[in-house]
Amino acid sequence: MTPHYELAGPEGAEVVVLSNSLGTDLGLWDAQLPALSERFRVLRYDQRGHGRTPATPGPYDLADLGGDVLELLDHLDVERAHFAGVSLGGMTGMWLAEHAPQRLDRLALICTSAELTPRQAWRDRAAQARRDGTASMVDGSLGRWFTPALAAEPDVVARFGAALAACDDEGYASCAEAIAELDLVDGLPRITAPTLVIAGRDDPATPPPHAERIGAAVPGARVEILPGASHLANVERAETVNRLLLHHFTRSLHESSHDDL
């Protein structure tokens, strides 16, 4: 299945793929688009059952979600790309880095985890989405996604609450079940893509120890912990995240230029 996607930035530039978290759509990356698209061909897409990508019958696993990215890259004739993902998007990126390393250049993982327990909590969340709909998830999710001051701002509530409520109930539930079965820990030492790991210091969903665990296992990974940020750190600390992503992804441009000398 080819997901819904949007492209921005100069044709012929290196491609950066941006992957959204559970309950959001590609608009999650609105604050990154202007900065990244000046230098990169930015490819945003919606996970299954999110935004304008339709749901397929579940259950899903990371192989399904990672396979969607590979199909999208093939569809666009992109041989190799950088990749950044938030939460579920980061999990997708780790799967790709292990199982399709030839397709990834540099990897950025934001507010994510290689294993999220207790697993039953994710199965319970899937059951709630199927029973009561994704609109029932809004209040609890916003409280995890943002620090209290930002979570109370009407524009944030309207924008991100609407995106979550618009998710397909089955698609959300099946993605939650993929998180329930998540176990990427053993594969982390096999990741060869240069990796940046970003965490929000105030993130209750994937607190900093999750980032530190990834950073300790992935060879050469760099870990950045951002104060004043909760789970959607790329929204709450957009300027800092933009700077980190640009530095991380442009290193390949600098290295290529140096190699040509």
Side-chain angles (χ1 to χ4, degrees):
M1 179 189 71
T2 303
H4 168 71
Y5 66 91
E6 293 182 2
L7 280 167
E11 293 186 17
E14 290 187 347
V15 174
V16 173
V17 179
L18 302 178
S19 183
N20 59 290
S21 62
L22 180 69
T24 66
D25 57 23
L26 56 75
L28 173 67
W29 298 99
D30 283 352
Q32 279 67 57
L33 189 61
L36 291 177
S37 62
E38 286 187 4
R39 305 204 47 186
F40 296 98
R41 187 72 162 160
V42 179
L43 171 58
R44 300 188 290 173
Y45 76 98
D46 292 324
Q47 298 269 19
R48 291 190 189 196
H50 292 65
R52 295 172 62 185
T53 298
T56 57
Y60 307 158
D61 58 23
L62 263 295
D64 295 318
L65 302 181
D68 290 344
V69 178
L70 296 175
E71 185 166 336
L72 180 55
L73 294 177
D74 290 344
H75 174 72
L76 296 171
D77 293 321
V78 175
E79 182 177 347
R80 191 172 175 88
H82 304 301
F83 189 98
V86 175
S87 195
L88 178 62
M91 298 165 191
T92 305
M94 284 183 277
W95 185 92
L96 287 166
E98 181 183 355
H99 295 278
Q102 74 281 4
R103 306 303 295 273
L104 292 193
D105 189 351
R106 305 181 78 86
L107 176 65
L109 307 171
I110 303 172
C111 298
T112 192
S113 180
E115 181 181 38
L116 270 181
T117 56
R119 299 182 188 279
Q120 187 57 43
W122 294 97
R123 299 184 185 106
D124 291 345
R125 193 179 297 188
Q128 179 183 342
R130 291 190 175 102
R131 182 182 65 247
D132 302 324
T134 53
S136 72
M137 323 293 293
V138 170
D139 289 343
S141 295
L142 292 179
R144 290 186 296 271
W145 289 354
F146 304 108
T147 54
L150 188 58
E153 289 191 7
D155 289 348
V156 170
V157 172
R159 176 183 166 197
F160 287 93
L164 175 51
C167 286
D168 182 272
D169 297 343
E170 180 60 31
Y172 179 101
S174 295
C175 284
E177 289 170 336
I179 296 174
E181 302 305 318
L182 177 73
D183 188 1
L184 298 169
V185 175
D186 290 345
L188 294 177
R190 295 192 289 273
I191 291 177
T192 57
T195 300
L196 169 67
V197 188
I198 299 173
R201 185 171 293 167
D202 302 315
D203 181 3
T206 53
H210 290 259
E212 291 162 352
R213 185 185 194 187
I214 295 169
V218 175
R222 173 187 175 191
V223 178
E224 294 283 346
I225 310 298
L226 305 187
S230 191
H231 191 52
L232 299 188
N234 69 303
V235 176
E236 199 148 21
R237 294 293 308 277
E239 185 176 339
T240 300
V241 170
N242 290 351
R243 175 177 54 80
L244 291 169
L245 291 178
L246 280 168
H247 180 265
H248 185 58
F249 292 143
T250 55
R251 288 189 66 181
S252 67
L253 297 176
H254 300 326
E255 289 161 2
S256 296
S257 298
H258 178 75
D259 291 342
D260 291 340
L261 296 177

